[in-house]
Amino acid sequence: MLDPRDADELPGELDPALRDQVAHTTAHAIVHRARDTEDPQVVERLVHLVETEGLDVVAGLWSDAAPNSLPGALWRLYVLREWVRRDPQTVTLRYRLGVDAAPVHEAIAGVPRPPGPEDVRDLADAVLSGVFAGDLAVALERAGSFCRILATGAAFDADAREVADPDGALRMTRGAGSLLRTAQELEHAAELWRADRLD
C-alpha cells in the first residue's frame, strides 16, 4: 500500500480509473491471499483492519467502489462492523425490535436469542472472518440478513417515535431504507460470488 506521506505528495486527486483499479487490486489481493494462507492470525488482523489502519484508510481504498464489486462489498462489511463495534447497544435494540418479524433472516444471520451487545459484535467479526477463511457468499448473505433485521427494527422504532419525535422518526426511517438497500447489495454480491462474477 502507498505510504500516507507519499500519497500526500501526489498532485491533485487520483484519476477515477486508477482509483477503481487500486480498489479492485487491493480487495482481490487481501481476500485471495488470506483465503490461500488460511492463517488465523492473518484473518484476525484483517477483521480488525479498521482499528489498526483507521476507517479513513479503508474508505480511501473502497468507499467509491460499486456495490456489485468485491471492494464495494468489503467496504459495506467493514462499515457495518464498525457501526456494531461503536454502538452495540443501538444495534442490539434494533435487532431485538426487528427479529420477530424476520424469522428466516434470523436463521441466516445466526445471532443467539435474545442477543446482547457482545453477540452482535461476535456476529460482525464472524461475518468478516468468513470472508477471509470461509464461504464468502455465506458471509455476505449473513450480513445481508443482519441488515434486513436491523432495517425492520429501525422502522418499528421510527413508528414508535413518530408522535414524540417526528424528525428523529424520519431520520430512522431513512436509516432503515439505507440498511435495506445495503442488505440487497450484499445479497446480490453473494449471488455474483457464487457465479464467479464478483470482481
Side-chain angles (χ1 to χ4, degrees), residues 146-160:
F146 186 62
C147 286
R148 283 184 182 275
I149 293 169
L150 294 177
T152 303
F156 286 154
D157 202 1
D159 286 347

Side-chain angles (χ1 to χ4, degrees), residues 3-103:
D3 184 275
R5 287 175 302 222
D6 295 337
D8 288 340
E9 293 176 14
L10 290 173
E13 288 288 316
L14 276 180
D15 175 87
L18 178 58
R19 188 179 180 92
D20 190 56
Q21 181 182 359
V22 168
H24 286 270
T25 302
T26 55
H28 278 273
I30 287 172
V31 169
H32 292 292
R33 285 194 182 151
R35 295 172 75 77
D36 288 345
T37 65
E38 296 183 9
D39 182 344
Q41 290 180 333
V42 170
V43 171
E44 184 72 13
R45 282 198 314 266
L46 290 172
V47 167
H48 296 280
L49 183 66
V50 169
E51 285 106 305
T52 56
E53 299 298 325
L55 190 60
D56 290 345
V57 171
V58 178
L61 286 172
W62 300 328
S63 66
D64 292 335
N68 61 345
S69 68
L70 184 57
L74 286 175
W75 169 244
R76 282 151 183 76
L77 292 176
Y78 275 109
V79 169
L80 180 62
R81 182 183 178 275
E82 188 63 7
W83 178 39
V84 170
R85 191 177 74 81
R86 289 185 182 186
D87 195 2
Q89 302 294 340
T90 299
V91 173
T92 302
L93 171 66
R94 300 271 164 75
Y95 190 91
R96 287 178 178 175
L97 288 171
V99 72
D100 288 335

Side-chain angles (χ1 to χ4, degrees), residues 23 31 52 55 96 101 105 107 109 116 124-125 129 133 136 145 169 171 183 190 193:
V31 169
T52 56
L55 190 60
R96 287 178 178 175
H105 293 293
D125 287 354
S129 294
L136 194 143
S145 288
R171 282 192 303 276
W193 177 262

